[in-house]
Amino acid sequence: MDCCGHEGRGSGDARFEIQKVADGVHVAVAAPAYKVNSNTAIIESDDGVVIVDTHSKPSAARVIVERLRDITTKPVRYVVNTHFHWDHWHGNEVYPAAYPHAEIVTNQLTREAMVTKGLKRVQDHVRQVPREIAQLKADLAAAGAPAERAKLETSVRLAESYLAEVKALKPALPTIAFEQTMKLYRRDREIHLLYLGRAHTEGDVFVYLPREKVVVTGDAVIGWTPFMGDGYPEDWTATLDRLAQLDFTTMIMGHGYVAGRNWLSTFRGYIHDMVGAVRDEAAAGATLEEVQQRVPAKLAPTYEKAFSVYGHYRPWRQGIMANIERTYAMVG
Ligand SMILES: [Zn+2]
């Protein structure tokens, strides 16, 4: 049962912490939840606002629209999607509804991925989430400890509200698509949208502010162990090397808190070492099971701690098993 009838401000269940990154540049850091939400970058210019990524559901994007009023009275002009994953674009429809002149922008590869894969996955979620809810309820019935019960109760509530929203979704595809690079020149700011090669998906978009030395990475760099299910582990490090060539000091990532160049080198090191180790094992004839035994043990001393800051959300040991499986399939 829904409670309290919250209207307007904070009516969605998504929670964000808004931080200033530079003059006129903010990040809304999403609290990790059962149904994950992406962060949003908020970039204000003389004639309006650029928003990067729109979360997993319209109500989360509506929370941002509400919070935006504390930051600026300017309208949102552009909404950028960094890649085709559901938790970065399901909220798109909110912006053209709230701001009639808003355009949704991404590159051609990501727009195509939204059409060929993203729209289908909306329907997959409509089918799959009821099963997830049933499982959560079964876990809840079996749970004893109050803390575990409370966590599962929250998850059930989030899953049910997500299901209601995804059923009603009116997917808003990008209205502008570029090939390699698109640059917005504003009186007080330059905003570069870049394609640097394959990484987390085939079409990752980076948003670069050269004057402020800020880059928005989408999920090509995040605060915990990456999801590689649609990724290109063998291309990923080369793409991050092109990212490293940009002159920046601050990264707004798809998930997790704002980070600097140190985290980029740790994150790149993990992917580089994981791919190298899997490739060596595969070349020596190891089975997937053997690789999944040996490689985490080999990399743990260097990476386990660094990737466990959000360990409660996606434990490194669990993440690397999936990463190895994807990489093994691609190098095999
Ligand atoms: Zn993603």
Side-chain angles (χ1 to χ4, degrees):
M1 189 176 70
D2 279 334
C3 109
C4 316
H6 288 301
E7 290 295 333
R9 183 182 190 79
S11 57
D13 53 29
R15 293 288 169 263
F16 298 95
E17 190 178 318
I18 296 191
Q19 297 174 331
K20 184 176 169 180
V21 173
D23 269 346
V25 182
H26 290 79
V27 57
V29 178
Y34 167 75
K35 281 295 169 196
V36 67
N37 262 320
S38 64
N39 297 337
T40 274
I42 300 163
I43 305 162
E44 192 182 346
S45 286
D46 50 295
D47 64 340
V49 176
V50 175
I51 290 282
V52 185
D53 285 340
T54 66
H55 323 291
S56 59
K57 53 188 179 181
S59 69
R62 271 182 222 113
V63 172
I64 299 296
V65 168
E66 283 292 323
R67 302 282 300 270
L68 210 50
R69 289 179 192 143
D70 296 337
I71 298 175
T72 179
T73 55
K74 290 170 191 162
V76 172
R77 291 281 307 272
Y78 298 99
V79 175
V80 179
N81 292 134
T82 58
H83 63 290
F84 80 95
H85 283 156
W86 62 284
D87 57 320
H88 294 256
W89 76 283
H90 277 184
N92 277 7
E93 65 185 71
V94 167
Y95 289 96
Y99 305 97
H101 299 293
E103 301 269 7
I104 302 168
V105 188
T106 193
N107 64 15
Q108 195 61 46
L109 290 167
T110 286
R111 193 180 188 286
E112 278 164 22
M114 285 174 174
V115 173
T116 58
K117 293 183 275 195
L119 292 174
K120 183 181 161 296
R121 288 187 191 179
V122 173
Q123 296 316 311
D124 292 344
H125 283 201
V126 170
R127 275 197 308 276
Q128 288 161 0
V129 175
R131 283 204 293 273
E132 289 180 32
I133 292 171
Q135 183 61 50
L136 286 166
K137 285 183 172 169
D139 293 348
L140 180 59
E148 194 193 350
R149 291 191 61 83
K151 193 170 170 243
L152 285 165
E153 277 164 6
T154 304
S155 293
V156 168
R157 189 170 46 72
L158 290 175
E160 285 177 338
S161 76
Y162 175 73
L163 179 62
E165 288 202 60
V166 79
K167 277 183 177 167
L169 207 67
K170 299 182 205 68
L173 291 166
T175 52
I176 296 176
F178 62 94
E179 291 286 342
Q180 290 289 326
T181 303
M182 173 172 160
K183 294 184 178 177
L184 298 172
Y185 293 93
R186 293 295 178 264
R187 203 182 316 139
D188 54 348
R189 209 185 292 290
E190 280 186 29
I191 302 167
H192 299 183
L193 311 186
L194 307 172
Y195 176 62
L196 301 175
R198 304 195 294 191
H200 176 68
T201 67
E202 63 267 60
D204 300 313
V205 173
F206 294 85
V207 180
Y208 176 48
L209 309 177
R211 281 188 218 167
E212 297 77 9
K213 301 190 194 292
V214 172
V215 68
V216 188
T217 66
D219 287 0
V221 189
I222 63 171
W224 54 72
T225 315
F227 170 71
M228 292 189 167
D230 295 303
Y232 296 85
E234 292 183 282
D235 297 356
W236 204 315
T237 42
T239 300
L240 295 185
D241 288 343
R242 284 185 280 276
L243 172 65
Q245 283 166 17
L246 301 176
D247 179 18
F248 69 88
T249 54
T250 306
M251 287 192 299
I252 295 174
M253 304 186 288
H255 305 278
Y257 284 106
V258 166
R261 298 191 74 101
N262 281 351
W263 179 246
L264 176 58
S265 65
T266 303
F267 189 90
R268 180 212 179 272
Y270 164 70
I271 294 170
H272 175 267
D273 293 357
M274 187 276 297
V275 170
V278 171
R279 201 185 274 143
D280 289 351
E281 292 283 356
T287 64
L288 173 61
E289 291 67 31
E290 288 166 338
V291 182
Q292 284 181 322
Q293 282 233 299
R294 292 172 195 156
V295 172
K298 187 177 172 202
L299 300 189
T302 315
Y303 296 111
E304 184 163 24
K305 208 166 157 228
F307 281 86
S308 297
V309 177
Y310 299 87
H312 59 286
Y313 179 65
R314 185 185 293 155
W316 182 77
R317 293 265 173 184
Q318 188 183 313
I320 192 174
M321 293 302 256
N323 290 174
I324 289 169
E325 190 175 351
R326 172 74 173 178
T327 306
Y328 187 83
M330 295 190 98
V331 301

